[in-house]
Amino acid sequence: MASYAYLFKYIIIGDTGVGKSCLLLQFTDNRFQPAHDLTIGVEFGARIVTVGQKRIKLQIWDTAGQESFRSITRSYYRGAAGALLVYDITRRDTFDHLATWLEDARKYSNANITIMLIGNKCDLEAKRAVSREEGESFARENGLFFIETSAKTAANVEEAFVHTAADIHDKIQAGVLDVTNESSGIKLGPTQPNLSSFPSGSAETVRGCC
Amino acid sequence: MVTTSSPPTGAIARPSRIIRQIRRRRRRSKALGKATAATIDPETTASNTPPMAETPHLTPSSRGAPQYYLTGSCSFHNLRVLARRNSTGFINSDSRKRIWSTLLLIDRIDVPRHQVSVLAHPDEAQLKLDVGRTHFPLAPYQQDQLTQITHTLLRRNSWLHYYQGLNDICTVFLLVLGPELAPAAAENASLIYFRDFMSHDFQNVHIFLGCIYTLIQQEDSALYELILETELPPYFATSWILTWFSHDLRDIQLASRLFDFFLTTNPLMPIYFATALVLHHRSALLALEREFPMLHQYLGKVAGNLDIPTINVLIAETYRLWRKHSARRLFKSGFHRYSCISTYPALEKWLIQRADDGDDVVRSDHGEHLDLANCLPDLAEPPPSLFDTGNGDPNDSTDTEKPTPSVKGGKNSCATHPLDRPANHYEQLTSTWPQPTSNDPSPGSMRRIWVQTVDRLRNFNLYYKPHYHSPQVSQQAIMAMAVYAAGALFLYLQSFPPI
């Protein structure tokens, strides 16, 4: 088993067809499927990223976008440390629905959740229906991070996941998030981060030395 | 298997009814004994285990092994045995066309499907996004056919909501039955088997999924403990139940094999099959890291690895579970009486009754008209309009104060969803709901009940608002009103000076 310092739980939400599953597939498998299957219910993916010299395992829940499924997907908000709220820059309605998604996220997740707003399909510049500025201002007004990505070309996909992880990591360092509380969506890895003064058992320290 | 395993109907089995059932079984066993004709084509099934005629009280070891021919006559009961025992189910697309049509109560020749409301269903916008994203890939012309099928289904039954996964079910019907039969099959399958999932939320889906855990709890305490310990939600099975595994299986042959089985049985059978599938992997699950994401991930892949031999093993296991854990007992209070689980026995009884009366479910000759088509006599009538209140004429829909449905509007734009109707509307409707009477088990009456049931179901979304229908609630309401009225009258009389 690969060692890691922390485990963060993520949830990907947003309207149907915005590319949530494609983002996850691009992030975990580095590939793109033009005709991706529908997500029925909830699917799962995991990958380890490195943030500030620390290995962090991301457990990502990819949810169905159709409204009927919300009663199912809501139960996954609770234990999430990060949420990726995705819309499609070529479909105005997916942007217009962000407010209800955000309301759900605020209501059902823990208060310190880090939310990253993602405008996906930025490779389709010609079909753009939502400007970058609009996305930025929505994110600013609601205290979200913002990034435009393309699951097809892999542009910014890595960044979206890693920036979210970095913010969660900062919150841990600042003491905002409690690593011992599992409902915060964070767990200590099997290899403890550098909490003790014994460097020997920690992969973290070894990495630091190199 | 047939009568003993009836699911909960809410009705109490009376002694007289039970005696009648036993008599009927005896009659059936006699009928089967002398006239079990023919189903499977001998060439295609030479290598398969020969299917047996089996009645609820014949032991599996009594091997009469009669030859079946799909071209011959076959009762519902025999179809059931065939779907369970023959490793390839109903074998091929040709026989499936006939048998599925029969099981889904459609005439294979002339069902008028073109009389569709011109009003768009609010869910069509969603559908447009999903036709290109079916699990079994479709060519562009097939995607158009799929669009047609689902539009027909939704426009003719505007109280039904589309959910993601229905496109996969319709795809199976399209690929197996072809574009002529698929619209009717998809519609009737939705009405008979999937309508519980097609309400505005997934409340019923949660109930269905919960049943899997009820069964696991009965069957395997170690596994159940693991589930409790890891707090694994049953949502790994969402797509299994919503699409009858067609969202997960590798190819259409496997999906049709499973559909063969599910179409001959109770709508709860996919739950039992899902349970059998989980139990099949119990040792692997118990060996995994005791973390719910791991379990979810593992279970998310098991349906994709199914093949025909495993499916057959699982079907046998499913039947074992079905017999051992009676749905009637386990889920007695779980399902509303207008759930498809509760209304299915009416259809089942009717189909079995035909076999009892020596009437074949499937007719061999092409020219003969299937009687079963009469089951849905209103197919030729104009469908209820989207905002029909249920008592006016269908032309009412042009009423200006009602919102005009549009393709653009999301689900929320359907302001007058049947579930949003006032409570008394439901009271009014349910008071006339047809109920099977145990004094009148004749085929005619069963048919009448089924026809009326389907007729109503087409028009009103009447299941799963239990507090609207519950007789207890209405009785309580009446009692409360009576008490208030008496109090008010008393106070009113008190206000007059004494005589």
Side-chain angles (χ1 to χ4, degrees), chain B residues 30 42 46 48 57 59 67 71 74 127 147 149 157 180 193 217 219 252 304 331 334 336 387 405 416 419 493:
Chain B
K30 274 186 210 160
N48 297 329
H57 44 284
T59 54
Q67 274 273 286
T71 48
C74 195
L127 196 62
T147 308
I149 292 168
N157 304 278
E180 294 80 28
Y193 289 101
Q217 183 184 13
E219 191 64 21
I252 185 74
F331 311 121
H336 192 263
F387 299 110
T416 47
L419 288 176
L493 291 174

Side-chain angles (χ1 to χ4, degrees), chain B residues 469-486:
Chain B
H469 315 301
S470 159
Q472 287 86 348
V473 170
S474 54
Q475 278 164 15
Q476 282 165 8
I478 290 164
M479 284 298 289
M481 278 167 62
V483 168
Y484 277 119

